[in-house]
Amino acid sequence: GDTVLQRLNNINEERFQPLPDDRKVPAWVRRAVLRGLKADPARRWPSMAPLIAALEDDPPARHRRRFLAVAVIALVAVTAAGVTHVVRHHRLEIDRQVSGHLHDAALAGSAGRAKEKAARELRRRAFQSFDAAERARGEELWREALALVPAADSAYERAERAYEMALVLDPGRADVRAELADLIYQQLLFARELRRNDQARALGALLERDDEDGHRRAALQAPGTLALRTTPDSATVFLDRYEREPATGRRMARPVAGPPPAPGAIIALEPGSYRARVGAPGYADVAYPFELSEGEHLQASLRLPQSSEIPKDFVFIPAGEFWFGDADENLRNSFLDTVPLHRRHSDAFLIARHETTYREWIDFLTALPEERRGFYAPQASAPLRGSLRLRQVDGDWQLTFQPTSQRYSARQNETFVYVGRDRRTRQDWLEFPVAGTAPVDVERYLRWLRETGRVPGARLCTEVEWERAARGADDRVYPHGDELGPDDANFDVTYGRVDSAFGPDMVGAHPASQSPFGVDDLAGNVLELVRSSLSANGLVIRGGAYYFNSATCRVTNRNQVSATFRDVTSGIRVCAPAPETP
């Protein structure tokens, strides 16, 4: 791990670096060492003595000594009973022992598969409960599922040891090696499903050794196919594949080689994360992220909305599946307050490309009767995180803002000049994301957008919509990848944690963290109020802010808030229903 938290998580989850391919460590040695690394002390070696005994008990050497003794006896017996009888007896003894090990392997493998099947069913029911906003029941089922995983692992390890012992006795048994390869392959698929990447890599190395005909490894890389139909059918489709850059953690969209696919054509693609970029004259450009697993056939229909149907600075998000929640179990329970990572479906919707700005909010305030403007004017004060107030002074709107120790104030025709910054020092505060608004203020603003026709059906985004817009179709941690660099977004380290430098940036100032759909600032700047998808009628803030660290900016982080919540670091982003199509 690169950080203390990451190392602690890896220790607790028993995630180890896989052995290099050139290290031929026997499985019995590996098991002895791994037992010493168990997170639960009760499952480790009770003392050094049994560990030393386990390391001295070399199964191949033991069996070689046994067979050497048998061979010596056989040589002596040749003079009495003849070579044929001894060889036959020796063969029968080997067969008897091999049969015993195969019997043990079959029993242990069957137990492992039963535990795995039960865990899968509990996971399925847990995800159903989470999606039905029955979180307490979902967490209960999830804990039951997790409790079965170590039992399945232990059973599979017993089966693996039994197969290996059989192969020590009779290395030429291709059928035994094939059964062992089947077992490892099944374990590997389960490890992938559980997002246990280190275990999956280790099992992949074992499969490389035992999958003699290669068909199991080939199945892990079998191409999938995509058939994408568009309306209009004259739309042009370009395909990108997301590839992770190890140095930065970014998931870069690389164009797929070859000419644009014909409408509805079946395209073979390697397993992975992709994005289709679709466009046609007179229609809105649409991004359609998707994932393909091994051998999967994905059929999708994409109806492009006309450009005139999309409000200014809004993005159309097509219906599709995506990953919701987080796979880091320790961080999920201790900080993120989200659910386990699983697939969800989102219907089509519209989302604002940027957070709502002070300029947009002032347009709303100006449309109100003068005596009502002060009621909906943003204002907030919080210990440590400062204060803000928007008010009219001599007919001009003025923002007074104190994020920490430094107080700033500017009118509509004036710019903010941050102290202590080395970049983005001078900014137009009217393009800052509005903050300090309560949910009741937001609902009045949304009603105004609907009534004026500026954004038909304007409403708060749901968590499902927000997370879909932020991460596309894969399991990325941030809108652009798995790491958040200091200038990828506006969060605590962007300006060196200098007190006077804390504060929002103009929307769209950090394009490096743009989402697969082209939506800005879903990480950092200000938190965004959304409707909960995990509880009925709840409100949640998502996305992090300029004052908070990178963990807060994860697309999976969420905090429930009350109906009276108001904060200097929290604003909104508007969603709306997708245009109705004939």
Short mmCIF file of all heavy atoms in Angstrom, two decimals, residues 387-416:
data_model
loop_
_atom_site.label_atom_id
_atom_site.label_comp_id
_atom_site.label_asym_id
_atom_site.label_seq_id
_atom_site.Cartn_x
_atom_site.Cartn_y
_atom_site.Cartn_z
N SER A 387 -18.27 31.68 6.87
CA SER A 387 -19.61 32.21 6.66
C SER A 387 -19.71 32.84 5.28
O SER A 387 -18.70 33.14 4.64
CB SER A 387 -19.93 33.26 7.73
OG SER A 387 -19.01 34.35 7.62
N LEU A 388 -20.95 33.03 4.81
CA LEU A 388 -21.20 33.76 3.58
C LEU A 388 -22.57 34.42 3.66
O LEU A 388 -23.46 33.96 4.38
CB LEU A 388 -21.10 32.86 2.34
CG LEU A 388 -22.15 31.78 2.08
CD1 LEU A 388 -23.41 32.34 1.42
CD2 LEU A 388 -21.58 30.69 1.20
N ARG A 389 -22.71 35.49 2.87
CA ARG A 389 -24.01 36.17 2.79
C ARG A 389 -24.10 36.89 1.45
O ARG A 389 -23.16 37.59 1.05
CB ARG A 389 -24.17 37.18 3.92
CG ARG A 389 -25.54 37.86 3.94
CD ARG A 389 -25.64 38.90 5.02
NE ARG A 389 -26.95 39.53 5.02
CZ ARG A 389 -27.27 40.61 5.73
NH1 ARG A 389 -26.35 41.18 6.52
NH2 ARG A 389 -28.48 41.13 5.67
N LEU A 390 -25.22 36.71 0.77
CA LEU A 390 -25.51 37.44 -0.47
C LEU A 390 -26.64 38.42 -0.17
O LEU A 390 -27.70 38.02 0.33
CB LEU A 390 -25.92 36.47 -1.57
CG LEU A 390 -26.25 37.09 -2.93
CD1 LEU A 390 -24.98 37.63 -3.58
CD2 LEU A 390 -26.92 36.07 -3.85
N ARG A 391 -26.44 39.70 -0.47
CA ARG A 391 -27.48 40.70 -0.21
C ARG A 391 -27.37 41.82 -1.23
O ARG A 391 -26.35 41.98 -1.91
CB ARG A 391 -27.36 41.26 1.21
CG ARG A 391 -26.06 41.99 1.47
CD ARG A 391 -25.91 42.31 2.94
NE ARG A 391 -24.65 43.02 3.18
CZ ARG A 391 -24.56 44.24 3.71
NH1 ARG A 391 -25.67 44.89 4.07
NH2 ARG A 391 -23.38 44.81 3.90
N GLN A 392 -28.44 42.60 -1.32
CA GLN A 392 -28.46 43.76 -2.21
C GLN A 392 -27.99 45.00 -1.47
O GLN A 392 -28.44 45.27 -0.35
CB GLN A 392 -29.87 43.99 -2.75
CG GLN A 392 -30.18 43.16 -3.99
CD GLN A 392 -31.48 43.56 -4.66
OE1 GLN A 392 -32.53 43.48 -4.03
NE2 GLN A 392 -31.41 43.96 -5.92
N VAL A 393 -27.06 45.69 -2.09
CA VAL A 393 -26.53 46.94 -1.53
C VAL A 393 -26.60 48.00 -2.61
O VAL A 393 -25.95 47.87 -3.67
CB VAL A 393 -25.07 46.76 -1.06
CG1 VAL A 393 -24.53 48.09 -0.49
CG2 VAL A 393 -24.96 45.66 -0.02
N ASP A 394 -27.43 49.02 -2.39
CA ASP A 394 -27.60 50.10 -3.38
C ASP A 394 -27.97 49.54 -4.75
O ASP A 394 -27.44 49.99 -5.79
CB ASP A 394 -26.32 50.95 -3.48
CG ASP A 394 -25.96 51.61 -2.15
OD1 ASP A 394 -26.89 51.91 -1.38
OD2 ASP A 394 -24.75 51.80 -1.90
N GLY A 395 -28.86 48.56 -4.75
CA GLY A 395 -29.33 48.00 -6.02
C GLY A 395 -28.40 46.97 -6.64
O GLY A 395 -28.74 46.36 -7.65
N ASP A 396 -27.22 46.77 -6.05
CA ASP A 396 -26.26 45.78 -6.54
C ASP A 396 -26.24 44.58 -5.60
O ASP A 396 -26.41 44.74 -4.38
CB ASP A 396 -24.85 46.39 -6.59
CG ASP A 396 -24.34 46.53 -8.00
OD1 ASP A 396 -25.04 46.09 -8.92
OD2 ASP A 396 -23.24 47.07 -8.18
N TRP A 397 -26.00 43.40 -6.16
CA TRP A 397 -25.82 42.22 -5.32
C TRP A 397 -24.38 42.14 -4.87
O TRP A 397 -23.45 42.34 -5.67
CB TRP A 397 -26.22 40.96 -6.06
CG TRP A 397 -27.69 40.84 -6.26
CD1 TRP A 397 -28.41 41.17 -7.38
CD2 TRP A 397 -28.64 40.40 -5.29
NE1 TRP A 397 -29.75 40.95 -7.18
CE2 TRP A 397 -29.93 40.47 -5.90
CE3 TRP A 397 -28.56 39.96 -3.97
CZ2 TRP A 397 -31.09 40.12 -5.23
CZ3 TRP A 397 -29.71 39.60 -3.30
CH2 TRP A 397 -30.97 39.67 -3.92
N GLN A 398 -24.19 41.84 -3.60
CA GLN A 398 -22.85 41.77 -3.02
C GLN A 398 -22.69 40.46 -2.26
O GLN A 398 -23.55 40.09 -1.45
CB GLN A 398 -22.62 42.95 -2.07
CG GLN A 398 -21.27 42.90 -1.33
CD GLN A 398 -21.08 44.11 -0.43
OE1 GLN A 398 -20.89 45.23 -0.91
NE2 GLN A 398 -21.17 43.90 0.88
N LEU A 399 -21.58 39.77 -2.51
CA LEU A 399 -21.27 38.54 -1.79
C LEU A 399 -20.18 38.83 -0.77
O LEU A 399 -19.10 39.32 -1.12
CB LEU A 399 -20.80 37.44 -2.74
CG LEU A 399 -20.39 36.12 -2.07
CD1 LEU A 399 -21.58 35.45 -1.39
CD2 LEU A 399 -19.75 35.17 -3.08
N THR A 400 -20.45 38.52 0.48
CA THR A 400 -19.45 38.60 1.55
C THR A 400 -19.17 37.17 1.99
O THR A 400 -20.08 36.42 2.36
CB THR A 400 -19.96 39.43 2.74
OG1 THR A 400 -20.30 40.74 2.26
CG2 THR A 400 -18.90 39.54 3.81
N PHE A 401 -17.89 36.81 1.94
CA PHE A 401 -17.53 35.40 2.11
C PHE A 401 -16.26 35.31 2.95
O PHE A 401 -15.26 35.97 2.67
CB PHE A 401 -17.31 34.78 0.73
CG PHE A 401 -16.79 33.37 0.74
CD1 PHE A 401 -17.45 32.38 1.44
CD2 PHE A 401 -15.65 33.02 0.04
CE1 PHE A 401 -16.99 31.07 1.45
CE2 PHE A 401 -15.18 31.71 0.03
CZ PHE A 401 -15.86 30.74 0.74
N GLN A 402 -16.31 34.51 4.01
CA GLN A 402 -15.13 34.27 4.85
C GLN A 402 -14.97 32.76 5.02
O GLN A 402 -15.58 32.15 5.89
CB GLN A 402 -15.26 34.94 6.21
CG GLN A 402 -14.01 34.80 7.06
CD GLN A 402 -14.04 35.67 8.30
OE1 GLN A 402 -14.81 36.63 8.37
NE2 GLN A 402 -13.21 35.36 9.28
N PRO A 403 -14.16 32.12 4.16
CA PRO A 403 -14.03 30.66 4.24
C PRO A 403 -13.33 30.20 5.52
O PRO A 403 -13.70 29.20 6.11
CB PRO A 403 -13.21 30.30 3.00
CG PRO A 403 -12.50 31.57 2.63
CD PRO A 403 -13.37 32.70 3.07
N THR A 404 -12.28 30.93 5.93
CA THR A 404 -11.58 30.60 7.19
C THR A 404 -11.18 31.91 7.87
O THR A 404 -12.01 32.56 8.49
CB THR A 404 -10.35 29.72 6.93
OG1 THR A 404 -9.54 30.33 5.90
CG2 THR A 404 -10.74 28.33 6.48
N SER A 405 -9.92 32.30 7.71
CA SER A 405 -9.44 33.50 8.40
C SER A 405 -9.59 34.77 7.56
O SER A 405 -9.63 35.87 8.10
CB SER A 405 -7.96 33.32 8.78
OG SER A 405 -7.19 33.07 7.62
N GLN A 406 -9.65 34.63 6.25
CA GLN A 406 -9.68 35.78 5.35
C GLN A 406 -11.11 36.12 4.95
O GLN A 406 -11.89 35.25 4.56
CB GLN A 406 -8.85 35.48 4.08
CG GLN A 406 -8.74 36.62 3.10
CD GLN A 406 -7.81 37.72 3.58
OE1 GLN A 406 -6.84 37.44 4.27
NE2 GLN A 406 -8.09 38.96 3.21
N ARG A 407 -11.46 37.40 5.03
CA ARG A 407 -12.79 37.85 4.65
C ARG A 407 -12.73 38.51 3.29
O ARG A 407 -11.88 39.36 3.02
CB ARG A 407 -13.33 38.85 5.69
CG ARG A 407 -14.76 39.32 5.43
CD ARG A 407 -15.21 40.19 6.61
NE ARG A 407 -16.58 40.65 6.44
CZ ARG A 407 -16.91 41.78 5.81
NH1 ARG A 407 -15.97 42.57 5.29
NH2 ARG A 407 -18.18 42.14 5.72
N TYR A 408 -13.66 38.11 2.39
CA TYR A 408 -13.73 38.66 1.04
C TYR A 408 -15.10 39.28 0.84
O TYR A 408 -16.11 38.78 1.35
CB TYR A 408 -13.52 37.58 -0.01
CG TYR A 408 -12.16 36.91 0.04
CD1 TYR A 408 -12.00 35.66 0.67
CD2 TYR A 408 -11.06 37.50 -0.54
CE1 TYR A 408 -10.77 35.05 0.72
CE2 TYR A 408 -9.81 36.89 -0.50
CZ TYR A 408 -9.67 35.67 0.13
OH TYR A 408 -8.45 35.07 0.18
N SER A 409 -15.14 40.34 0.04
CA SER A 409 -16.42 40.96 -0.28
C SER A 409 -16.31 41.60 -1.66
O SER A 409 -15.31 42.25 -1.98
CB SER A 409 -16.79 42.02 0.76
OG SER A 409 -18.08 42.55 0.51
N ALA A 410 -17.32 41.37 -2.51
CA ALA A 410 -17.30 41.93 -3.86
C ALA A 410 -18.72 42.10 -4.36
O ALA A 410 -19.61 41.31 -4.04
CB ALA A 410 -16.50 41.02 -4.79
N ARG A 411 -18.89 43.14 -5.18
CA ARG A 411 -20.19 43.39 -5.81
C ARG A 411 -20.19 42.76 -7.21
O ARG A 411 -19.18 42.23 -7.67
CB ARG A 411 -20.48 44.88 -5.87
CG ARG A 411 -20.65 45.50 -4.49
CD ARG A 411 -21.27 46.88 -4.60
NE ARG A 411 -21.40 47.51 -3.30
CZ ARG A 411 -22.03 48.67 -3.08
NH1 ARG A 411 -22.59 49.32 -4.11
NH2 ARG A 411 -22.10 49.18 -1.87
N GLN A 412 -21.33 42.90 -7.89
CA GLN A 412 -21.51 42.22 -9.18
C GLN A 412 -20.46 42.61 -10.22
O GLN A 412 -20.07 41.78 -11.03
CB GLN A 412 -22.91 42.53 -9.73
CG GLN A 412 -24.00 41.67 -9.10
CD GLN A 412 -25.38 42.04 -9.57
OE1 GLN A 412 -25.95 43.00 -9.09
NE2 GLN A 412 -25.91 41.31 -10.52
N ASN A 413 -20.01 43.85 -10.22
CA ASN A 413 -19.04 44.29 -11.22
C ASN A 413 -17.60 44.17 -10.73
O ASN A 413 -16.68 44.71 -11.33
CB ASN A 413 -19.32 45.74 -11.63
CG ASN A 413 -19.24 46.70 -10.44
OD1 ASN A 413 -19.24 46.26 -9.29
ND2 ASN A 413 -19.15 47.99 -10.73
N GLU A 414 -17.41 43.45 -9.61
CA GLU A 414 -16.07 43.29 -9.04
C GLU A 414 -15.69 41.81 -9.03
O GLU A 414 -16.55 40.93 -9.01
CB GLU A 414 -16.04 43.84 -7.61
CG GLU A 414 -16.34 45.32 -7.52
CD GLU A 414 -16.50 45.80 -6.09
OE1 GLU A 414 -16.77 44.95 -5.20
OE2 GLU A 414 -16.38 47.01 -5.86
N THR A 415 -14.39 41.57 -9.03
CA THR A 415 -13.90 40.19 -9.00
C THR A 415 -13.37 39.84 -7.62
O THR A 415 -13.02 40.72 -6.83
CB THR A 415 -12.76 39.97 -10.02
OG1 THR A 415 -11.71 40.90 -9.75
CG2 THR A 415 -13.26 40.17 -11.44
N PHE A 416 -13.35 38.54 -7.35
CA PHE A 416 -12.72 38.05 -6.13
C PHE A 416 -11.22 37.96 -6.38
O PHE A 416 -10.79 37.44 -7.43
CB PHE A 416 -13.26 36.65 -5.79
CG PHE A 416 -14.23 36.64 -4.66
CD1 PHE A 416 -15.29 37.51 -4.64
CD2 PHE A 416 -14.07 35.76 -3.59
CE1 PHE A 416 -16.21 37.50 -3.60
CE2 PHE A 416 -14.97 35.74 -2.55
CZ PHE A 416 -16.05 36.62 -2.54
#
